[in-house]
């Protein structure tokens, strides 16, 4: 029913079915993964009124599974690209794989797909940084990065009165950073 | 041998074979496409020493096919994600589909895969804005953007001796920008 593709690697089309409505792909060497594509194979659609929530799961430093909601696939939107390379510092979220006790190996992450009612999916909020399949999210990401930079740089800002005399050090007016 | 997936749509696994070594997928409604994934199905590898160059083709305003090189798939790197939103204003590049005379429909673009010697692929340069599938290219992109920023900001840099007295204007030490 589902396929999973790590950019640069061979496609996987045979997830492990860990429950009637739950499917898991292993992602070996996940530290070197940037993007993951999750898609329906086109053979079997979701039952009427159902769709899939897509989770990323990785082991934290103590080996516990951390799950994060990446997004959704549905009959109307049967594929999605997710960026997982910035998720590793994030917090876990609620997830429906709790009782699975999937074995955790330090370098292996998982993508889990849970088949649920569409109305349940609509109440779940994916981690924002995982969305890549629209131009908007890329622009938002860049803007966010620049905002972070301005906040970072501004924390070092000084006025002339606060400067220790050092004629050789170069300074950039803070409003130049904002204008850019 | 190949699959093609437009983010958000159903996967395609049956390209049109337009020559012994050339395969084409149709991309309807291409103006609404952001990302395309091209991958090997894993059934048949490339012959020893061969790989595939991946092209995007769209009709220009006069209906002529414009081809642009997106990148490559090989046995070692059997999948790639390309960003095609943003390519429509670009110039066409040399391509091996010249004699095909593929029918052009205003809203339908194509992804073409040409099987070639790896040494030929190594001499081809994809359009830079199409790469999204590796941290390297993303990091390079970000780094380039930050370099641009540093060059921009540095052009405004002043030392304390050059400052006009203005106790309220905030300054950011230039080395903070570099460190970030």
């Amino acid at each position: 029913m589902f396929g999973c593709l790590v950019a640069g690697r061979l496609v996987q089309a045979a997830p492990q079915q860990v429950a009637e409505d739950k499917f898991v792909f292993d992602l070996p060497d996940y530290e070197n993964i940037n993007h993951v594509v999750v898609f329906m194979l086109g053979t079997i659609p979701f039952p009427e009124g159902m769709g899939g929530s897509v989770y990323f799961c990785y082991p934290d430093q103590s080996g516990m599974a951390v799950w994060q909601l990446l997004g959704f696939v549905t009959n109307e939107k049967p594929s999605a690209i997710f960026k997982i390379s910035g998720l590793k510092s994030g917090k876990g979220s609620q997830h429906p794989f709790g009782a699975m006790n999937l074995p955790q190996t330090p370098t292996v992450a998982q993508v889990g797909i849970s088949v649920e009612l569409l109305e349940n999916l609509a109440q779940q909020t994916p981690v924002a940084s995982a969305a890549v399949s629209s131009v908007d999210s890329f622009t938002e990401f860049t803007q966010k990065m620049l905002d972070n930079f301005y906040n970072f740089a501004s924390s070092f800002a000084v006025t002339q009165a606060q400067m220790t005399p050092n004629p050789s050090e170069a300074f950039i007016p803070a409003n130049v950073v904002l204008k850019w």
Side-chain angles (χ1 to χ4, degrees), chain A:
Chain A
M1 185 169 179
F2 302 109
C4 178
L5 187 149
V6 172
R9 303 187 188 174
L10 264 182
V11 64
Q12 301 182 55
Q16 186 189 351
Q17 187 166 4
V18 295
E20 196 194 348
D21 54 358
K22 295 194 172 44
F23 302 83
V24 170
F25 291 97
D26 273 348
L27 305 181
D29 190 22
Y30 77 93
E31 301 264 8
N32 290 316
I33 295 177
N34 295 312
H35 293 89
V36 174
V37 187
V38 174
F39 58 100
M40 301 178 67
L41 297 178
T43 46
I44 309 170
F46 285 109
E48 177 86 16
M50 313 277 293
S53 55
V54 181
Y55 289 84
F56 176 61
C57 168
Y58 66 96
D60 70 7
Q61 289 181 333
S62 58
M64 296 294 291
V66 179
W67 291 83
Q68 292 184 316
L69 179 63
L70 297 177
F72 312 102
V73 286
T74 62
N75 291 339
E76 287 67 45
K77 184 175 163 291
S79 63
I81 302 175
F82 303 109
K83 184 172 194 300
I84 64 163
S85 50
L87 295 186
K88 276 151 260 174
S89 55
K91 277 199 319 184
S93 60
Q94 281 199 313
H95 67 90
F97 293 85
M100 305 278 149
N101 275 321
L102 294 172
Q104 292 299 310
T105 313
T107 59
V108 180
Q110 276 92 27
V111 158
I113 302 165
S114 172
V115 181
E116 300 176 21
L117 287 169
L118 290 175
E119 59 203 57
N120 288 355
L121 302 189
Q123 293 165 23
Q124 301 170 17
T125 308
V127 284
S129 57
V132 290
S133 32
S134 74
V135 166
D136 286 348
S137 49
F138 185 74
T139 312
E140 278 168 24
F141 172 81
T142 319
Q143 187 56 50
K144 204 167 178 183
M145 199 178 69
L146 291 174
D147 289 348
N148 285 345
F149 167 73
Y150 180 72
N151 291 338
F152 168 81
S154 303
S155 67
F156 292 86
V158 291
T159 60
Q160 290 171 47
Q162 298 165 315
M163 286 177 187
T164 40
N166 177 355
S168 69
E169 190 175 10
F171 289 86
I172 294 165
N175 62 6
V176 168
V177 179
L178 266 186
K179 272 180 205 152
W180 191 78

